[in-house]
Amino acid sequence: MEQPAKLESFEQTMMPHLNAAFNLARWLTRNPQDAEDIVQEAYLRAYRFFDSFKGGDGKGWLLAVVRNTFLTWAKRKSTDNRTVPFDEAVHDRGHAEPSAETRLVRDADVGSLRECVQALHSEYREVLVMRELEDMSYREIAEATATPLGTVMSRLSRARKLLANCVQTRVQGASK
């Protein structure tokens, strides 16, 4: 594809998804400045490899590029001390409760919710952001993360439980 035609096609296909790309990068990095750097690098990579794009609206393909750019950035950074490793014994309460959505609507404030989302391990945070904030289907998330569909559903379920537990703990702590 010739450069002017490639650039025009790239802009028409990928630029409408700039906000989604920044949103995902911001949640993954937990820092708006780092997110801007990642989105800029992701768009450069996306343009460079735009010839491999197979068509469609481009959102899933672009968010996969953003995710991969983040993973490269995080590897270079080598340590991310801000994440909490998942420990089944600590994080899973094992008893039935109302759904996460019900508790969140009833009990949570936006600040606590943001802090709880940011506290999630990146593999849970990315699927939660893609599904709940970017309205991507499970299949689109699986393609964007190069993860089996069952793994996406499992991570999303676990992310919702962890999020609900975190919010509940914060609400109970605030009411004491």
Side-chain angles (χ1 to χ4, degrees):
M1 188 180 294
E2 292 184 36
Q3 289 299 83
K6 178 181 176 180
L7 180 59
E8 183 177 340
S9 179
F10 178 80
E11 287 177 350
Q12 289 175 351
T13 307
M14 297 299 157
M15 292 312 289
H17 307 297
L18 180 61
N19 288 338
F22 178 74
N23 191 33
L24 177 60
R26 188 184 68 230
W27 280 108
L28 291 175
T29 63
R30 302 181 183 125
N31 180 307
Q33 291 78 25
D34 290 339
E36 288 173 358
D37 292 344
I38 285 174
V39 169
Q40 183 177 11
E41 177 66 26
Y43 266 84
L44 290 171
R45 287 180 182 186
Y47 180 73
R48 192 174 321 128
F49 297 104
F50 188 62
D51 293 331
S52 69
F53 175 63
K54 293 179 178 44
D57 75 354
K59 184 177 184 178
W61 187 80
L62 178 64
L63 292 184
V65 174
V66 170
R67 177 186 178 269
N68 291 335
T69 303
F70 164 75
L71 293 174
T72 301
W73 174 84
K75 192 180 291 183
R76 271 195 313 249
K77 208 171 171 193
S78 84
T79 57
D80 185 1
N81 297 329
R82 297 175 288 182
T83 60
V84 176
F86 181 75
D87 181 348
E88 191 83 37
V90 173
H91 292 98
D92 188 11
R93 301 227 169 116
H95 59 279
E97 297 180 353
S99 71
E101 292 82 5
T102 302
R103 283 199 311 269
L104 292 174
V105 169
R106 186 183 66 220
D107 300 325
D109 70 315
V110 174
S112 291
L113 183 59
R114 277 195 182 119
E115 290 171 8
C116 288
V117 170
Q118 289 177 348
L120 291 173
H121 189 273
S122 63
E123 68 184 10
Y124 301 123
R125 193 172 56 247
E126 72 183 5
V127 296
L128 187 72
V129 168
M130 288 180 181
R131 178 71 184 140
E132 303 300 339
L133 300 179
E134 297 303 328
D135 269 342
M136 293 176 70
S137 70
Y138 294 133
R139 189 165 312 286
E140 290 171 326
I141 296 168
E143 290 172 7
T145 60
T147 306
L149 188 60
T151 302
V152 168
M153 294 186 320
S154 172
R155 286 180 183 172
L156 187 56
S157 174
R158 186 163 287 171
R160 287 174 175 156
K161 286 179 184 174
L162 290 170
L163 185 62
N165 289 341
C166 177
V167 170
Q168 182 179 20
T169 300
R170 287 176 182 272
V171 167
Q172 288 174 348
S175 65
K176 289 183 180 181

